[in-house]
Structure formats: C-alpha cells, structure tokens
Amino acid sequence: MKNILVFETKEQLAEAAAQATIDLLRAAIDAYGSATWVLAGGSTPLASYKSIVEKHSQSLDWQKVTFALGDERIGEHTSPDNNWAAIDAVLAPLPAQRLRPNVDQTAENAAKEYEQQLTSLAKNDIGLPRFDVMWLGLGDDGHTLSLFPHHESLSPTAQLVIPVHDSPKPPRDRISMTLRALLGAENVMILASGAEKRDAIKSAIAADNSPIALAASIAQTHDGVVSWYVDASAAPN
Ligand code: 6PG
C-alpha cells in the first residue's frame, strides 16, 4: 500500500512533515535512547525546517538527535551551493549532534570520509547505520539524493556513500548516499511540491525505475515505512 499524503498548500505540507518528523524522532528516542535524521536539500524541505524551528524547537531533547545529510555538492563549505550551509542556517538553533560531510576535497575522498563518519551511528539488525527518519527530495526528472536516472550513480555498490561526477544537475561533482544506504532507513519521507513534479511522482508511484522509485522500494524491502508528502499541484490525479 502506498502512503501518499496530499496537502492543499506547500505550507500545509511543510507543517505536516514537521509534525510527523518530531513524532518519529521522539518514538526513536523512546525506543533507542537516540535518533538520527537524514536531511535533504531543496526548497520543499526548507519550508519544513523553518516550521520545526519556529514551532517545535521545544518538542524534543535535540541533544539526543543526530543530523546527517543524504547528499552534498563538492566545494567550499561557505559556497552558496553547499546544501548543509543552507539547511543549517535554518536549523542552527537546535542543539543536535551534527555529521556534516567534509566536501572541501575531492569527491572520492569526501565520500570515503563521510562513509567513515556514518560508522559512528547506531546500527540496525543488518549492520547498517540506522536512519530513524530519512527525508528525500525529488527532482522533476525523478532524481533523489544525487542519484540520477540512467547515470553511473545508480550502479550497484556495497558503499553507503559514493562520489558522483557529471551530475546532470549542476554542480557536476557531488557525494551521495547510495540505494544501499536506504536499507538502514526506518522511515522515509519524500517531500515534493510543484506541478513540475507531477509526472515524476505519478510514474514513481506506479513503480518505474527512477531513482526515487528504487529508493522507496529498497527501503521497503527492509521494513522501512515510506510516506509521500506532496502538495495538490504535485499530486497525481
Ligand atoms: C540538489 C538539490 C536537489 C533537490 C531537488 C528538489 O542537490 O541539486 O538538493 O536534488 O533536492 O531538485 O528540490 P526542490 O524541493 O527545491 O524542488
């Protein structure tokens, strides 16, 4: 069964995703004593980060939460391209632990180093880092993370983080969590808004082989719960 939640506006989507995330992180803290939240770049998640800081900053013991990031652009950390900088400019007031990718180096080294950083996280029953909440953005081409359709980034791998070159969406050099990393995701929330996403969503929900559909299906093979948060303009008819 597909869990597709449709909201009239992007603001309502943002608020609902914020509330669900707080509830899921709290449940993970109750169950495990700590929680990990994998953040996503893009404008749809950004509205939700704002809602969390404005309305939910007192709702959790944030020191028990670790922030990680699903993908990042290679370059200086102060660059306007840096996803973490844009996200953390909003989330800064929350006193969570932070696993920030160090991308001021080659993509190869950055990917290796981030994979190493992820080993500090608690593991699930198959020995992978447990991501209690993983947010995924969606591009209108069906990409998620920095995994692009018909691109080398989708090649099977044992790694959890890979270097990505020749990204069809600039900048060209990136690092990305892989499809394999999705096996550690307990709750995947896909956040997408805008009419330009509608076709990608419709086709992914029908289980095409786009990166977002593959990510959702891999998470579900290990009992991950996948929920789509979409606004009315992005909702498939
Ligand atoms: C990137 C972006 C990108 C983004 C999607 C959706 O690294 O290039 O983060 O992958 O997540 O394009 O973005 P919107 O939510 O802004 O539509």
Side-chain angles (χ1 to χ4, degrees):
M1 199 193 76
K2 310 275 185 202
N3 191 14
I4 303 162
L5 306 166
V6 180
F7 301 90
E8 216 165 295
T9 65
K10 190 172 172 177
E11 292 68 34
Q12 287 169 0
L13 182 170
E15 177 51 35
Q19 182 64 58
T21 299
I22 296 293
D23 293 345
L24 291 167
L25 292 175
R26 187 184 296 115
I29 292 171
D30 288 348
Y32 307 114
S34 63
T36 298
W37 176 15
V38 179
L39 309 168
S43 63
T44 315
L46 216 51
S48 212
Y49 299 133
K50 286 188 184 132
S51 163
I52 287 184
V53 169
E54 283 164 15
K55 300 187 186 156
H56 303 280
S57 64
Q58 304 302 319
S59 312
L60 272 189
D61 182 353
W62 288 101
Q63 297 194 9
K64 295 187 171 152
V65 177
T66 299
F67 296 157
L69 185 61
D71 67 316
E72 184 58 285
R73 291 100 173 257
I74 292 298
E76 288 177 15
H77 292 182
T78 50
S79 151
D81 277 339
N82 191 268
N83 270 332
W84 184 283
I87 298 167
D88 215 20
V90 180
L91 293 184
L94 305 179
Q97 317 301 318
R98 285 161 162 82
L99 288 182
R100 179 180 191 168
N102 175 16
V103 286
D104 195 359
Q105 54 182 334
T106 65
E108 279 66 23
N109 288 344
K112 244 182 246 156
E113 191 180 313
Y114 203 48
E115 175 134 357
Q116 185 60 36
Q117 276 180 260
L118 295 180
T119 62
S120 67
L121 295 171
K123 311 276 187 302
N124 70 2
D125 57 348
I126 53 169
L128 295 177
R130 194 193 73 236
F131 303 138
D132 299 293
V133 181
M134 184 165 186
W135 279 17
L136 294 179
L138 171 67
D140 50 12
D141 59 353
H143 87 258
T144 192
L145 299 161
S146 284
L147 306 176
F148 295 92
H150 315 294
H151 186 265
E152 211 188 326
S153 52
L154 280 182
S155 305
T157 174
Q159 288 167 250
L160 301 179
V161 185
I162 49 166
V164 176
H165 298 291
D166 297 322
S167 156
K169 183 177 178 187
R172 297 180 75 75
D173 297 316
R174 296 156 171 259
I175 62 168
S176 181
M177 287 193 186
T178 59
L179 291 176
R180 178 170 161 74
L182 265 296
L183 292 170
E186 307 241 309
N187 296 281
V188 174
M189 294 171 56
I190 302 166
L191 276 57
S193 61
E196 69 283 4
K197 307 281 171 72
R198 193 187 301 128
D199 289 349
I201 294 172
K202 192 171 176 184
S203 162
I205 286 169
D208 63 3
N209 61 359
S210 62
I212 191 69
L214 296 172
S217 126
I218 286 173
Q220 283 168 327
T221 62
H222 198 61
D223 295 338
V225 176
V226 177
S227 307
W228 293 75
Y229 285 73
V230 303
D231 72 351
S233 64
N237 303 321

